[in-house]
Amino acid sequence: MAKPKVATASLAGCFGCHMSVLDIDDRILKLVELVEFNKSPINDIKKFTDRCAVGLIEGGCCNEENVRVLQDFRKNCDVLISVGECAIMGGIPAMRNTIPLKECLDEAYLNGPTVYNPAKKIPADKEIPLLLNRVYACHEVVKMDYHLPGCPPPADTIWEALVALLTGKPLKLSYELIKYD
């Protein structure tokens, strides 16, 4: 019987949630017995090769490329999970939501204290994804099925969620796996 496929992506985030996936330690060997990773930085597969049972998304959407990636995951994954605060609420990248985009770009490329830009130009190459007016949480862009809170969520939380979903059990995380006090 074919193993269920899992895909992962990091949008506007720091890869900390992917580090939590790797922090499941020796259980990663059990995970590899349970699943096959499809599109993921974990195995460096860049495009979907098949339908996936579960998609894990870390990071919010700050540019058009993030939106396209997230929409592609929604089309190709049966269950889509926001992993971490950046995916759920925008996280640290969303701090720019309180400042007009033009002001952010001016500070980053023209007027910042360490900026050296004698041409006084803001990069506008067609290869650079267009920034959105603000950072959006994943559920503001597509339907998300589950949210795993934390910055990053503990490895045990990710492990329990994946095992439950991949073995057809209800996803019921204990208070200990989702508390932060």
Side-chain angles (χ1 to χ4, degrees):
M1 185 163 127
K3 296 179 194 177
K5 292 178 176 48
V6 173
T8 72
S10 182
L11 305 177
C14 70
F15 261 90
C17 296
H18 274 84
M19 294 307 296
S20 258
V21 171
L22 297 177
D23 280 346
I24 64 175
D25 298 326
D26 63 332
R27 292 175 292 183
I28 198 116
L29 300 173
K30 293 176 188 171
L31 184 61
V32 171
E33 290 175 14
L34 281 175
V35 304
E36 176 184 326
F37 279 94
N38 198 280
K39 180 184 185 337
S40 175
I42 291 172
N43 58 8
D44 205 29
I45 294 177
K46 308 273 192 241
K47 296 182 180 192
F48 284 100
T49 60
D50 206 353
R51 182 125 191 107
C52 291
V54 176
L56 302 172
I57 303 292
E58 85 169 90
C61 291
C62 73
N63 63 44
E64 287 182 334
E65 181 181 350
N66 295 155
V67 171
R68 280 192 299 275
V69 168
L70 187 56
Q71 290 170 337
D72 196 31
F73 265 73
R74 181 72 274 174
K75 285 182 211 165
N76 287 284
C77 298
D78 297 333
V79 173
L80 202 52
I81 304 172
S82 296
V83 181
E85 296 310 312
C86 292
I88 296 170
M89 297 187 304
I92 298 294
M95 288 177 68
R96 80 164 169 94
N97 289 354
T98 61
I99 303 166
L101 183 56
K102 182 180 181 339
E103 193 175 321
C104 288
L105 292 170
D106 285 351
E107 181 71 13
Y109 295 107
L110 303 176
N111 305 318
T114 61
V115 171
Y116 176 73
N117 181 354
K120 296 286 185 200
K121 290 185 180 181
I122 294 174
D125 190 283
K126 63 183 177 184
E127 295 294 318
I128 300 172
L130 186 64
L131 287 176
L132 301 175
N133 62 330
R134 67 181 189 90
V135 176
Y136 292 85
C138 292
H139 70 272
E140 293 180 287
V141 178
V142 301
K143 179 186 179 290
M144 302 301 291
D145 301 298
Y146 296 98
H147 306 281
L148 298 180
C151 183
D156 290 339
T157 302
I158 294 169
W159 169 256
E160 292 296 327
L162 277 175
V163 169
L165 290 170
L166 295 168
T167 58
K169 296 178 182 159
L171 179 53
K172 291 183 181 178
L173 298 173
S174 69
Y175 176 73
E176 293 301 314
L177 292 175
I178 55 173
K179 75 172 181 85
Y180 299 96
D181 54 296

